[in-house]
Amino acid sequence: METRIRAAQLKGRGGAFPKLGRRAGPAEPDYESEVYEAAAGDAVAVAPAPAAAVEPAELDFGAGEGHHLQHISDREMPEDLALESNPSDHPRASTIFLSKSQTDVREKRKSNHLNHVSPGQLTKKYSSCSTIFLDDSTVSQPNLRTTIKCVTLAIYYHIKNRDANRSLDIFDERSHPLTREKVPEEYFKHDPEHKFIYRFVRTLFSAAQLTAECAIVTLVYLERLLTYAEIDICPTNWKRIVLGAILLASKVWDDQAVWNVDYCQILKDITVEDMNEMERHFLELLQFNINVPASVYAKYYFDLRSLADDNNLNFLFAPLSKERAQNLEAISRLCEDKYKDLCRAAMRRSLSADNFIGIQRSNAILS
């Protein structure tokens, strides 16, 4: 009844009363939305009708049911969507090296199944009720030797399963050789073996005394370079790309970074000017984005463990000894005390809340 009275009042004032769901002015298309473009053909701008043409009638609430109101999350910029698909920036995106390795892993499993190849003696140890097997690698303190093996295996799959041979001159070893000795052209036509990549990286890490965390950050920078610069790592450029990633990771991660001149002592035939130029180009191609979030670091660590498990690169397991159990218990007690202090601080800030319920905790039993 009130609606009819309101419509009659508008008629008496000589105004138009458009139905809901119609637009009183010209529609402004949103070119970033494909959904809007698809529906733009059906949206018609309705001009105000003369007063005599409007009859007192009920409002038509069903007129707007066919129009789709787009959520703000659907209007994200393409750059944001590209960022989410970049594994070196977004923690939910799959790492590139793990995706490239799956092809070989599936073929190996299929070949073993067709040829009835037995897995042989199981080398991986599993915990039981009486014995707990633990490795000495954690996300905060990875094992150096195993981590370098996993990182170099990831680089190996990058080279082997590359999409093309896109490269840049600054990383081409034929234009910027790392040694004065003439390298035969056949060297650049074959993919390097995993053990050769491992030997090269291990030499740099051993001479510069770099940590295992630096190796993981090196892989993050390498995949970020390949994504940002849209290049491939191949036999002609893999050494200089890996060297540039290690150089940058050591400066960002380690408190006492290795200087460029120090790498010239390891690689005798390279000059400081060449190292500086390569580092500058590396940073520019990364768009100076050297940030590695903790979530991205943890994702790369666990994906490297998955890569090791798929390729039988088992971590060194050892039975849990009494001394190590006591150390773990002490660390756990220390973390629990810090957690209690945080809970007390939170409760002091929430004294005014009624019926405040504290966080319930379960004690972990280590036997």
Side-chain angles (χ1 to χ4, degrees), residues 84-354:
E84 291 189 2
S85 62
N86 188 355
S88 63
D89 292 317
H90 202 277
R92 289 182 295 180
S94 301
T95 52
I96 303 176
F97 71 86
L98 194 62
S99 302
K100 289 183 177 294
S101 68
Q102 292 306 307
T103 303
D104 289 38
V105 172
R106 286 192 296 265
E107 290 180 356
K108 187 183 300 182
R109 291 175 179 173
K110 183 179 179 180
S111 176
N112 293 339
H113 176 73
L114 294 177
N115 298 327
H116 303 285
V117 177
S118 61
Q121 185 179 2
L122 295 177
T123 57
K124 187 175 181 179
K125 300 179 181 179
Y126 296 89
S127 300
S128 63
C129 297
S130 59
T131 307
I132 298 178
F133 286 98
L134 296 177
D135 61 72
D136 60 346
S137 180
T138 61
V139 67
S140 59
Q141 293 181 343
N143 179 273
L144 177 61
R145 181 174 176 270
T146 310
T147 302
I148 294 179
K149 274 193 173 184
C150 294
V151 170
T152 52
L153 184 61
I155 298 173
Y156 167 78
Y157 279 120
H158 264 290
I159 301 174
K160 182 180 180 182
N161 299 324
R162 63 188 181 274
D163 298 327
N165 289 311
R166 300 170 298 177
S167 183
L168 296 173
D169 181 71
I170 187 62
F171 299 121
D172 197 325
E173 198 173 345
R174 293 171 296 187
S175 304
H176 303 273
L178 298 179
T179 177
R180 295 178 183 175
E181 299 178 1
K182 184 176 179 57
V183 180
E185 191 65 25
E186 290 293 326
Y187 170 82
F188 301 109
K189 295 181 180 180
H190 302 284
D191 297 340
E193 298 180 2
H194 172 229
K195 61 181 181 181
F196 189 69
I197 304 174
Y198 170 74
R199 194 180 302 119
F200 176 77
V201 176
R202 185 193 61 184
T203 301
L204 292 177
F205 270 72
S206 177
Q209 298 182 356
L210 302 178
T211 60
E213 297 90 339
C214 184
I216 299 177
V217 177
T218 296
L219 184 59
V220 175
Y221 287 158
L222 187 145
E223 293 203 343
R224 186 174 294 176
L225 174 73
L226 300 183
T227 306
Y228 282 23
E230 297 181 351
I231 60 176
D232 302 286
I233 183 169
C234 52
T236 60
N237 63 10
W238 72 268
K239 279 188 177 181
R240 291 182 63 87
I241 288 179
V242 171
L243 177 60
I246 293 175
L247 170 66
L248 192 58
S250 63
K251 291 186 176 182
V252 173
W253 186 264
D254 292 338
D255 294 332
Q256 295 180 349
V258 182
W259 289 35
N260 293 2
V261 67
D262 297 327
Y263 287 98
C264 297
Q265 301 297 326
I266 303 172
L267 303 171
K268 302 293 185 181
D269 297 333
I270 194 172
T271 62
V272 180
E273 292 76 17
D274 187 16
M275 293 287 294
N276 295 340
E277 184 183 5
M278 183 175 61
E279 181 184 9
R280 179 173 58 83
H281 278 82
F282 207 108
L283 282 170
E284 290 176 352
L285 292 171
L286 290 185
Q287 301 174 18
F288 297 93
N289 180 15
I290 58 175
N291 179 44
V292 179
S295 54
V296 172
Y297 172 88
K299 177 188 66 176
Y300 272 79
Y301 169 80
F302 288 109
D303 281 1
L304 285 172
R305 290 194 68 117
S306 300
L307 181 69
D309 189 58
D310 292 338
N311 292 270
N312 297 323
L313 292 178
N314 297 323
F315 286 74
L316 183 61
F317 285 87
L320 179 63
S321 61
K322 181 178 179 180
E323 292 76 16
R324 190 175 182 188
Q326 292 175 348
N327 293 335
L328 291 174
E329 187 176 1
I331 296 174
S332 177
R333 190 180 299 112
L334 178 62
C335 294
E336 185 178 1
D337 293 340
K338 291 182 178 179
Y339 182 72
K340 287 181 179 179
D341 295 338
L342 292 175
C343 290
R344 293 192 189 98
M347 291 179 66
R348 284 195 296 269
R349 291 194 298 267
S350 306
L351 289 177
S352 60
D354 296 331

